[in-house]
Structures are given as structure tokens and as C-alpha cells.
Amino acid sequence: MRRLYAALISAVLLVSCSSDDVSVRTCPADYVSTLCGTLSDHSFSNGNVYPATALPWGMHSWSPMTSDKAEGWFYRYEAHKITGFKQAHQPSPWIGDYGQIAIMPLRNTDDYPADRRASLFSHKSEQAKPYLYSVYLADHDIRIEIAPSERAAAIRLTYPESGESGFVLDALSPRSEVSIEDGLITGRTDNNCGGVPDNFANYFVVKSSKPVTSFNVEGDDAIAGFGGTGRGEQVTLYIASSFISPEQARRNLLEVEGRSFDEVRDAAKDRWNEVLGRIEVSGGSEEQMRTFYSCLYRAALFPRKFYEIDADGRPVHYSPFNGEVRPGTLYTDSGSWDVFRAQCPLLNLVYPETASEIIESYAGIARENDFLPEWASPGHRNCMIGNNSASIVADGIVKGLSNLSKELEDTLFATIVHGCTNVHPEIPSSGRLGHEYYDSLGYIPCDAGIRESVARTLEYAYNDWCIYRLGEALGRSESETAPFKSRSGNYRNVFDPATRLMRGRLSDGSFEPEFSPYKWGGVFTEGNAWHYSWSVLHDVEGLISLMGGKDGFTEMLDSVFVVPPVYDDSYYGRRIHEIAEMQAADMGNYAHGNQPAQHIIYLYDYAGQPHKAQYWVREVMDRLYSCAPDGYCGDEDNGQTSAWYVFSALGFYPVCPISGEYAIGSPLFTKATLHLSNGRNVTIKARDNSPANRYISVARKNGRRFDGHFVSYEELMDGVRLDFRMSSRPDTE
Ligand code: CA
């Protein structure tokens, strides 16, 4: 059935790519710039991403490098020299890379040392697309073009006339091995930043279309020479790697071996057009189209497929959780704290076949060790807080996307429940740090030596609600689910009625005496009370009543944008980049550059003031996003910040993923069509739309007028038609 739907979608796209309609004259993949978000550094993030050329969710990404040392910021848009082209697996500069190798073509193989191989380049001689990265290396007079498959790539090199042409393969680790036999270069590297057992390795294989006539290994560099090339002579390198074995790497090479470079590139382009084309938008500016598809591309890169296909055509993976080779799929390289909010809900809605593989992957992890990772790269990493993997699993299962057996669903549920009363022995961000306090007091006290105590309490409460809903969906007994339902109200225990904000609480029940709503960190995670007081995704009604009803609630919500962008960074001792990005946005204390705040604009819908949501959603889309290298307003974070834009441009957002309720904002395009995998289409039309006409004056659902502020998952899956008339005047009633 699923194959049939995929075929249907492909048919739709082939039509749209060849259409005469001006709005679709270019294929969606050509609207994407992979450079969007690459002008970033430690202290100020405009995305903190690298230009990844890869297939959607592909096992390897390829990216130019501008740094000559191993560092998270290995690519900087403003650099003038490229040092190599890396097979990268890095999900975030803060987490680092693993199993990486790099290629650099050379006019003269004597120039292989790191300080001599770097070449001048210009963005004017570059194409940075998801399916192709191409650049002219001025100092070598060589053009390089890279086209990806899921686990391999074709690299076409156009050489000048030279008697010593070749390339260097850098295994980027002193513990690497590389050799050549019968013209096939093979090797292994085990570089990583953690999250792997001792037997971890990336096994690579390189085959050249032109015979390699000289081969030397110097340290971790393998220098391959062709003996000479004529001017304009093209050589194609076919390169693949495996986390399982050298034999599997050879099998993965079959993804590209025997195909021309153009065939590999065109297949990658077709795949991206199929994925990106599931959403068609029109009636916006060229710039908005580019931003939209660049965001949709980022939202479809992670989590990364870490599984491979064995000789019998079955998925198989190296487990970074127990070091064994296991059957089944595995996805990695993402943080649940970020992506449970909008990126996973976007996959669930638009790419359910991938979403159901991700759930299958979590079930595999549950059999390979005792905990689900909250940050994975490729195994458990110590980063961020909460049990938000429960949200991802519950969202998929509640929406009927699980293909798991009853037994596997039970294993998955048991592992999630186990994680609520245990902490991973080495990686404390997996499991539930502070569960003893949370279970006995109903909150984590701020004097118990557990940092980010309020943020943890709020997230555990939401996570408990997710587990309650998951248990219900799996038919678990009420006695099993009731405690989770009851604990989901624990957010109330850190709400201070005097300030109407979430606030640190001591073990004796009193609130932390020193309190500033502008203080970042401490009891919160990369945010302050203005950001975290809204982290009650599952019970906004309850939060509204705590804040004194709709009037009190909107007064507090207005304040987020009205208070000056002042901050207290005493907890960190420096202005962390998230603070700088909030301050620079000129939106008061609203911090769109980090995840805890990304749903709060939509809370205006719950308080009956949707025109304010419409105003702010458009401010954020218009001012904080673009398709330029500085096109994000903080860390992009594995598709989450991009998914916010994709949903918001469509006109709705999943404030609480599992609720199946999407809050309506302000659609950006005159028309958007969502091609669902069940063969139905969601269409969103916004007449008279413009930057000034951002307010909804009339709304129709399937032709019938409606005044609600929400659309449901069921309505979307049925193929709802939403028709809006846009106006420059807010409808305050
Ligand atoms: Ca972040």
C-alpha cells in the first residue's frame, strides 16, 4: 500500500516539475540553498549548520571544509580557502563529528600536506544544492562536483594539464588505516567524540574511473596519483563507507558504482524533488519560495539513517548501543529536546513512512540497551534535558504510524517507563535525572544539586502526559497509566502565583528567594522564566487558569514581547549565543533562536487573541528567516527551527504534538498544497495575502465558515480545504 502511495506522489511531481505554471517552473530542489545558516560562530549563531549535500535522512553528508583542524565549526561561509571535502556525520557543532573522512583533489600530489592543499575559492564559482555541491578550486585549477546517494557518493574532478595530478584521502585520525589493492582504496577510521563502543569504525572504499598509478600513505593521508591528466580531463571517484564491515562498504558502493556522475546527480535530484515536492507553495516572493524549500530541506536531513542494506536486501545496522551488528533500521544524530516540538510532527504528517521507521528504530534501541537516547550521535550523548523521546514515540504511535508487533511495542513502552525512574550510568541526560525528588515532592527542588530543576520539572510533566497517552494507545491498564496522568499536573508545583511565572522552589516548599525573570540558566535550560513559563504544552487551559484567566494570561504573553531585551547571564558568566540572538532580534525577551520559546506565539490562539499570533508569526517569518547564509536566528538544530517555518508558512503549528491539534497562524503563501501519503491533498488558500495583509478576516474549512483557531490531525488526513481571506486589519473579535 505504501509503495502505491509513493508511486502516486511521484506521478504528481513529475507533472509539477515539467509544468508551464510559472509558480512551479523550477523544481523544488533548485530553490534550496544549502548555504543558508552557514555564517555562524560560537558566540553568534545564524544557524550553526554546514552545507550538507546528502539524500534526505542519508547516512553520509558531504560538505566542503574551511578549517584545517578537527572542530565543530569546520565550515565558515566567510572563509576564502577550502581545505577538503568531508564525508560528515555531525548533527551540531556542539556535538562534533564521527567516522569522518575527507577528499581533496590536487594538481600536484606533492601539495598533499594540510598547509599546502588548501585552495582559494569563491561563492561565485559554486553551486550548493542538496543533490550537488560544485566549486572551482582556484589554486589547483580543478573543479570538483559531488553527488550523493544514501551511503555513497560520486565525485567528479575536472583536472588541468598536469604530470602529477591526483588526490589526497585524509582519514582524519592517527588511528586510521588505508591501503590499495587491485586499484581499490580501502581503509578504516575510528574518530569520534563519544557515544560509541570500542569496536566502532567507519570502513571506507574508493574506486577511481582513472587508474591510480602511485599511492603513498603519510600519517593519516593517502596520496593517490594518476601519473598525469590532460586539460579538462574528468575523473570520477566512487566512494562509499559502512559502519558494519569492509564487505558492507563494498556493497554500499553498488549504490553508485557503474553509474555516470550525471546519473548519480540526477537520481539525487529526483529524490529531493519527490521529498520536497510533497508540499507545493505558490503566490509568495521568489525569496519566500527559497526560504521555504531551504527550510524543508533542513527539516528532512535528520535524523540520519544509520542502517545499511545487507546481501539479502534487508536493513541491518551496527549498534552504537551495544557494539553488535543487528537486524532492522536505526536512525541517529538528533536531540529529542529540539525536534519533538515541530520537526518530528512534520515527519509524522508529511513523511509517515520515515516516521514509522524512526519508531521501529526506537524499538530496536530498546532491545539493544536499557535507555532511549535523548541526544544520539551516534549512541547516547550527554546533552540537554527531559524524556522527550517519549513524546516522539507517543506522537507516532497515537497517530497510528507504528508497524511494530505487540511484543516490540511492549518492549518500547517498558523501556520508556524504566527511563522515568532510572538514570543512564554514564550518560545522565538519558533517563530521568532527579526522578526521586520529582516523584516524592512533585517537583525537583533547586537546592538538591540538580541544575535546571524547573525546566526538568516542566518537561517531565509534559513527558508523563505523553507516556499516559502512549499507554492508552497501547491498551495498557488504567492502574499503569493513571500515575503518569496524575504527574502530568506537576507543572503547577513550580508556578509562583505572586509573579505569575515559573520559579525555582526549595526542598522545604518555599520559592527561591532571589528571583529575576531575566536570569538565564540556573533552574532553566538556555532560557529564563519568560521563556519557560509557557512550557505546559499539554494543558494550556490549566496554565491559563493559573495565570488568572485569559486576560491575565495574555497580559503575561504580551509582556514577553514588550519587556526590554535585558538579560542576566550571571549563571554562565558570559553572554551565551542564545542570549545574543534574543537581544539582537529586537522582539523584547522573545527568543525564537532557541527551542523553549518556539511555540509560545501560538498560545494567543488558546486565549482567544489569534490576531496577535498572526502578527507575531509573520514578524518572525519575515524578519528572522531568509535563504541567506545568515538566514536563521540561532541554532537551526536538526530541522526543528526549519520545521517551525514550514508549519508557520502553511498556516498552522503543532503546539502540543500528541494532542492532534494544530493552532492556526497566518499562512505565508497564497496557495499551498500538501500531498499526503494517503493520496489526499490538504489545500490552504489565502486570498489577498501580502506582508501587510497578515490577518485572517474570514476562514472556511471545506467551504464552511468557521471561527475556531485550530485544525485537527484527522481533518488534515481527510484532505481538508482551508480558505482564508487576509486583511491588514486585525479581527479582534
Ligand atoms: Ca537550541
Side-chain angles (χ1 to χ4, degrees), residues 108-127:
N108 185 333
T109 49
D110 288 345
D111 289 333
Y112 80 85
D115 57 338
R116 284 164 61 189
R117 73 176 75 146
S119 170
L120 178 73
F121 81 105
S122 162
H123 294 294
K124 298 180 185 69
S125 312
E126 179 189 50
Q127 275 181 284

Side-chain angles (χ1 to χ4, degrees), residues 337-338 526 593-595 635 637:
W337 185 82
D338 300 282
E526 298 176 352
N594 207 16
Q595 284 64 39
D635 287 358
D637 283 332

Side-chain angles (χ1 to χ4, degrees), residues 188-206:
R188 66 189 289 282
T189 187
D190 66 351
N191 45 18
N192 66 80
C193 299
V196 292
D198 290 342
N199 67 349
F200 168 80
N202 184 18
Y203 304 93
F204 50 84
V205 48
V206 185

